[in-house]
Amino acid sequence: MIIMKFGGTSVRNAAAIKNVRQIIHERLGQRPLVVLSAVAGVTDLLEASLPAAASGNWSQVESILEQLRQKHDSIMRELHSSNPVYDFIHAELEKLRVLLSATESIRVSGRNISQAVLSVGELLSTRILADVLQQEGIETEYVDARKLMIARWDRTRFVPDTKQLSGNCEKQLHPLLNDGRLIVTQGYIASTPEGAPATLGRNGSDYSAALFGAALRTDEIQIWTDTSGILSADPSILPQAQPLAEMSFAEASELAYFGAKVLHPSAIQPAVSQGIPVRVLNSGDPGQPGTLILREKTVTDSSIVKSIAYKENITLLTVRSGELFLSPEILARFFNHLTEHDKKVFAVHKSATMLSLTVENADDLPHIIEELNHGSEVSIEKGKAIVSVVGEKLCEDPHLPGQIIGLLESAGVKPDILSHAASQISLLFIIEEKDIEAVVKLLHRELVEKVDA
Ligand code: ADP
Ligand code: ASP
Ligand code: MG
């Protein structure tokens, strides 16, 4: 049995959905369970509808609702969707309007409302795909993932209950699977033990796919997207970036954590726990082998640097203690405070009297730091980026940090922090956001292309 997860780009329009139908059809012998994202751009629209409603901007809400209706109507028209599907989609969009109208009336969107709003996209896309497969004569079962994936709120995010998922899959999915039915379910969405809506974070369908894979102990977890696997760099910066045949779980996790959007950062973990291979494949070119992510790689590559990732919108925070040392209490207070405010800390560098750390999306950081009343001198620099070069053998090359600094210097770029991540398989540094493109291109040319050539 395999998991086939299709991302939003793979179901972006009717033609793409027909293509997905074909891909699934050809793999029915592998007994797939299909995990689907919302149609591309839909979750962005849903996310934008919340502040619009909460600020009373009803005309913007109307425009978003209209875009959602048109997008799905045109897909359903082209796919000749059945009447019950049209009714389902329109009823869900009507429920969405009611939620947003309530938000507009009270000028606030609480967690339950926002989670319900964000969940709509996957409910719509899966219903459409299940119908398309049914029309093809495939015995298909539309399963609502909210009945299987139970998640609890933990300070800043929903954490899925893997034990409960396994039990629910055993009870609810096995009878259907044993009956030879093809299951289509949603990625990204879940519900709380009380039945309230929940989501697993943006791009969370990859995570759902891996969780389902682990719960069902599948032979493989396939992530179908719009690139021919994990590439040596983000193709939007480097169109010539090449797919990697194989990666280790550790390399792929590192890459996802430091910004490669192709995989959700948590997605690998459930696969690691069961040792299930993950394959990243291109729905636009299904014949390509893609990237196989394994516990241990079986091929040796020529270059030490496998891939280069970057993360934008980073703020560099430097804390200088007035005392002789930065006490553990100050450090603990800093980290706890940032976590409470849902600030993800990435690279950290510490000396006796100074602490540098990088934080994502930190427009409200000055206010948060002020609240702390810490008695230390703090500087906040916005507009930074983390660049990380990833490869399992990095630590075997003692010259690499020096080589990177030399290359950056030649391009007139001075990194703020250069450090090995704790895992030793990625080397990261902080640069100005404006330098991302030049730096990624330069490092790719010198550390990947020249070595592979
Ligand atoms: P999906 O809709 O399938 O979930 P995403 O848009 O979330 O797809 O992720 C795929 C995108 O990730 C690619 O189109 C590409 O722009 C981006 N990306 C960034 N870094 C990489 C990389 N190293 N390899 C492949 N894709 C990458
Ligand atoms: N639809 C959700 C998002 O856009 C989840 C996903 O696509 O993985 O973030
Ligand atoms: Mg994605």
Side-chain angles (χ1 to χ4, degrees):
M1 181 178 181
I2 57 170
I3 300 291
M4 297 179 82
K5 177 261 169 177
F6 293 91
T9 44
S10 301
V11 289
R12 65 189 174 284
N13 55 32
I17 294 175
K18 285 183 193 165
N19 179 46
V20 163
R21 172 181 64 190
Q22 182 65 19
I23 293 173
I24 296 171
H25 206 163
E26 284 164 7
R27 288 160 184 79
L28 287 176
Q30 289 174 274
R31 297 176 56 236
L33 176 132
V34 177
V35 176
L36 197 64
S37 293
V39 170
V42 165
T43 313
D44 289 339
L45 286 170
L46 294 168
E47 203 169 53
S49 72
L50 287 162
S55 62
N57 188 348
W58 191 250
S59 61
Q60 196 190 342
V61 174
E62 282 286 6
S63 143
I64 291 175
L65 287 169
E66 186 52 23
Q67 287 178 63
L68 290 171
R69 194 186 58 75
Q70 280 184 15
K71 217 184 244 289
H72 291 91
D73 274 358
S74 95
I75 289 177
M76 287 191 290
R77 221 174 301 121
E78 221 177 299
L79 293 173
H80 307 292
S81 296
S82 62
N83 285 339
V85 175
Y86 268 94
D87 293 346
F88 177 92
I89 303 294
H90 290 155
E92 286 300 325
L93 289 174
E94 195 43 45
K95 279 192 228 162
L96 174 64
R97 174 186 293 277
V98 171
L99 286 171
L100 292 170
S101 164
T103 306
E104 194 243 5
S105 308
I106 57 173
R107 291 289 194 272
V108 63
S109 77
R111 188 186 305 145
N112 285 1
I113 288 199
S114 68
Q115 296 302 299
V117 166
L118 290 171
S119 302
V120 173
E122 271 68 14
L123 295 175
L124 306 185
S125 62
T126 41
R127 194 71 181 81
I128 293 174
L129 180 70
D131 184 58
V132 163
L133 293 161
Q134 198 93 50
Q135 284 180 33
E136 185 83 352
I138 303 168
E139 294 275 334
T140 310
E141 195 75 31
Y142 166 88
V143 173
D144 189 329
R146 294 172 298 183
K147 298 205 172 95
L148 305 167
M149 188 76 78
I150 307 302
R152 287 177 181 75
W153 183 253
D154 180 14
R155 292 204 291 180
T156 58
R157 67 201 171 105
F158 282 102
V159 178
D161 185 330
T162 51
K163 252 207 182 122
Q164 211 163 346
L165 178 65
S166 297
N168 290 343
C169 285
E170 179 74 41
K171 268 191 271 155
Q172 298 177 44
L173 297 189
H174 275 140
L176 298 168
L177 294 166
N178 290 341
D179 244 14
R181 298 182 77 82
L182 171 70
I183 293 170
V184 174
T185 194
Q186 302 83 18
Y188 179 56
I189 69 172
S191 76
T192 67
E194 298 75 33
T199 58
L200 303 183
R202 293 303 309 271
N203 271 308
S205 295
D206 299 335
Y207 188 26
S208 301
L211 289 164
F212 277 115
L216 290 160
R217 295 173 186 267
T218 58
D219 302 312
E220 190 168 284
I221 297 160
Q222 299 184 346
I223 306 289
W224 289 85
T225 183
D226 63 347
T227 59
S228 292
I230 298 190
L231 308 178
S232 52
D234 182 347
S236 62
I237 286 192
L238 267 167
Q240 75 271 31
Q242 289 297 310
L244 301 159
E246 268 190 22
M247 294 191 93
S248 65
F249 283 139
E251 286 174 334
S253 305
E254 206 76 15
L255 210 57
Y257 184 72
F258 286 112
K261 189 181 152 211
V262 63
L263 269 184
H264 183 282
S266 310
I268 296 291
Q269 196 43 50
V272 174
S273 69
Q274 305 275 340
I276 302 173
V278 177
R279 204 184 282 272
V280 180
L281 293 151
N282 188 349
S283 58
D285 195 355
Q288 293 292 324
T291 300
L292 182 60
I293 309 170
L294 297 165
R295 203 192 297 260
E296 307 244 337
K297 286 193 301 192
T298 58
V299 290
T300 29
D301 321 89
S302 45
S303 67
I304 281 189
V305 174
K306 298 274 91 60
S307 187
I308 302 168
Y310 63 90
K311 220 172 194 8
E312 305 167 270
N313 202 6
I314 292 290
T315 296
L316 178 62
L317 192 75
T318 311
V319 185
R320 283 186 188 80
S321 169
E323 314 280 317
L324 206 49
F325 293 107
L326 262 173
S327 69
E329 289 75 27
I330 292 190
L331 295 179
R333 271 177 54 210
F334 250 94
F335 282 104
N336 284 338
H337 195 65
L338 290 170
T339 307
E340 270 158 24
H341 285 82
D342 195 16
K343 296 290 159 232
K344 255 203 191 147
V345 174
F346 289 93
V348 179
H349 192 77
K350 186 187 167 305
S351 70
T353 56
M354 204 180 89
L355 170 75
S356 301
L357 40 88
T358 51
V359 185
E360 203 179 20
N361 299 330
D363 284 344
D364 47 354
L365 204 56
H367 167 69
I368 293 172
I369 297 299
E370 211 167 280
E371 262 177 27
L372 200 58
N373 189 21
H374 41 80
S376 312
E377 189 193 318
V378 179
S379 74
I380 295 173
E381 296 166 76
K382 287 171 57 171
K384 301 278 183 182
I386 300 178
V387 177
S388 80
V389 299
V390 175
E392 202 132 60
K393 300 255 163 61
L394 284 192
C395 53
E396 289 176 16
D397 182 357
H399 305 296
L400 191 63
Q403 191 185 359
I404 290 179
I405 290 180
L407 287 168
L408 294 176
E409 229 167 48
S410 71
V413 174
K414 191 179 164 301
D416 276 310
I417 304 178
L418 181 89
S419 70
H420 266 296
S423 62
Q424 295 283 308
I425 65 165
S426 76
L427 231 168
L428 36 111
F429 47 92
I430 318 296
I431 58 170
E432 298 291 332
E433 225 167 28
K434 66 174 175 47
D435 294 326
I436 292 175
E437 191 169 334
V439 165
V440 171
K441 282 184 167 154
L442 173 69
L443 295 185
H444 193 269
R445 191 181 66 221
E446 297 297 323
L447 304 177
V448 181
E449 289 167 45
K450 278 197 178 160
V451 183
D452 281 344

